[in-house]
Amino acid sequence: MSHDPTPISDNPAEFTLDPVIAARLKLNDAGLIPAVVQAVDTREVLMMAWMDTHALAYTLATRRGTYYSRSRDEYWIKGLTSGNVQEVTDVALDCDGDTVLVTVHQTGGACHTGARTCFDADPLLGPGQ
Amino acid sequence: MSHDPTPISDNPAEFTLDPVIAARLKLNDAGLIPAVVQAVDTREVLMMAWMDTHALAYTLATRRGTYYSRSRDEYWIKGLTSGNVQEVTDVALDCDGDTVLVTVHQTGGACHTGARTCFDADPLLGPGQ
């Protein structure tokens, strides 16, 4: 008789961050930390989003790129509805503990516009300008 | 008789952002926007810092990576004292206007610790963990 593996919860609020990691984070006044997201294969910077401790705990536990939407005031498991999921390979905290770098395998476009990255559409300066 | 070129000002406060660009920026309550900095050659994400409109205007005009230090409450022309300068090749605004991606030729380490990047020292998750 076989058993299905335990399904992964879709509720980041149920996940609590390791206190050793939590003690090293410098959250902003809203309890958030910026997360820079980079593609592991192309090395493109895909997007910048925000995490609270539950989103970070959930990302570390499940390897699903997961953020906190300030505009919608809710957790946002990237790709849960669109299918454009992020499988997280690495997470690193920066030297002063106030930014995380999340490295991912990105399925489809990372941007809500459908573009590959959020930085494709609006160049302000280029090499030849 | 030769003339030296006009020296570049070291005071970003003297630089005003193009109003067309300024109108597209979504600054936070402190008047700042996060800047993700990436190396043009290695594609490493080097650091995350903050800009106000003067720091961005100065960066666009001079191609010197320039930020606003929240802790020191002053402009910070990267490498002006350390020599670890950033020559900016590209600047891109993201899809919702609240983050800039700055691509640079980085001389020396980008991190104040001397490390190549600010994300080298504190991995929270890796591929094999």
Side-chain angles (χ1 to χ4, degrees):
Chain A
M1 182 177 167
S2 68
H3 295 274
D4 287 338
T6 304
I8 298 174
S9 163
D10 288 343
N11 185 5
E14 296 169 358
F15 288 67
T16 301
L17 191 61
D18 178 339
V20 174
I21 295 175
R24 276 143 60 195
L25 292 187
K26 282 191 204 146
L27 304 172
N28 71 8
D29 291 345
L32 302 175
I33 187 168
V36 178
V37 186
Q38 183 175 32
V40 68
D41 45 4
T42 63
R43 310 291 284 162
E44 291 162 295
V45 175
L46 298 171
M47 51 183 270
M48 209 284 283
W50 295 83
M51 291 179 167
D52 68 358
T53 59
H54 297 290
L56 178 55
Y58 186 82
T59 297
L60 293 173
T62 67
R63 294 186 182 270
R64 292 172 159 186
T66 301
Y67 311 96
Y68 189 81
S69 169
R70 298 175 300 169
S71 57
R72 288 178 290 154
D73 192 22
E74 64 182 19
Y75 292 105
W76 164 42
I77 302 171
K78 179 75 183 160
L80 195 62
T81 53
S82 69
N84 292 354
V85 295
Q86 294 175 339
E87 182 193 341
V88 174
T89 62
D90 299 83
V91 178
L93 187 63
D94 79 341
C95 55
D96 54 2
D98 66 4
T99 305
V100 290
L101 176 62
V102 181
T103 309
V104 304
H105 286 287
Q106 173 70 54
T107 298
C111 185
H112 74 284
T113 63
R116 171 78 189 159
T117 93
C118 292
F119 298 97
D120 289 350
D122 203 352
L124 301 182
L125 182 72
Q129 287 167 262
Chain B
M1 182 177 169
S2 68
H3 295 274
D4 287 337
T6 305
I8 298 174
S9 163
D10 288 342
N11 185 6
E14 296 169 358
F15 288 67
T16 302
L17 192 61
D18 178 339
V20 174
I21 295 175
R24 277 143 59 194
L25 293 187
K26 282 192 205 145
L27 304 172
N28 72 8
D29 291 345
L32 302 175
I33 188 168
V36 178
V37 186
Q38 183 174 32
V40 68
D41 46 4
T42 63
R43 310 291 284 161
E44 291 161 295
V45 175
L46 298 171
M47 51 184 270
M48 210 285 283
W50 295 82
M51 290 180 167
D52 68 358
T53 59
H54 297 290
L56 178 55
Y58 186 82
T59 297
L60 293 173
T62 67
R63 294 187 182 269
R64 292 172 159 186
T66 301
Y67 311 96
Y68 189 80
S69 169
R70 297 174 302 169
S71 57
R72 288 178 291 155
D73 192 22
E74 64 182 19
Y75 292 105
W76 164 42
I77 301 171
K78 179 76 182 160
L80 195 62
T81 53
S82 69
N84 292 354
V85 295
Q86 294 175 339
E87 182 193 341
V88 174
T89 62
D90 299 83
V91 178
L93 187 62
D94 79 342
C95 55
D96 53 1
D98 66 3
T99 305
V100 290
L101 176 62
V102 181
T103 309
V104 304
H105 285 287
Q106 173 70 54
T107 299
C111 186
H112 74 285
T113 63
R116 171 77 189 160
T117 93
C118 292
F119 297 97
D120 289 350
D122 202 352
L124 301 182
L125 182 73
Q129 288 168 264

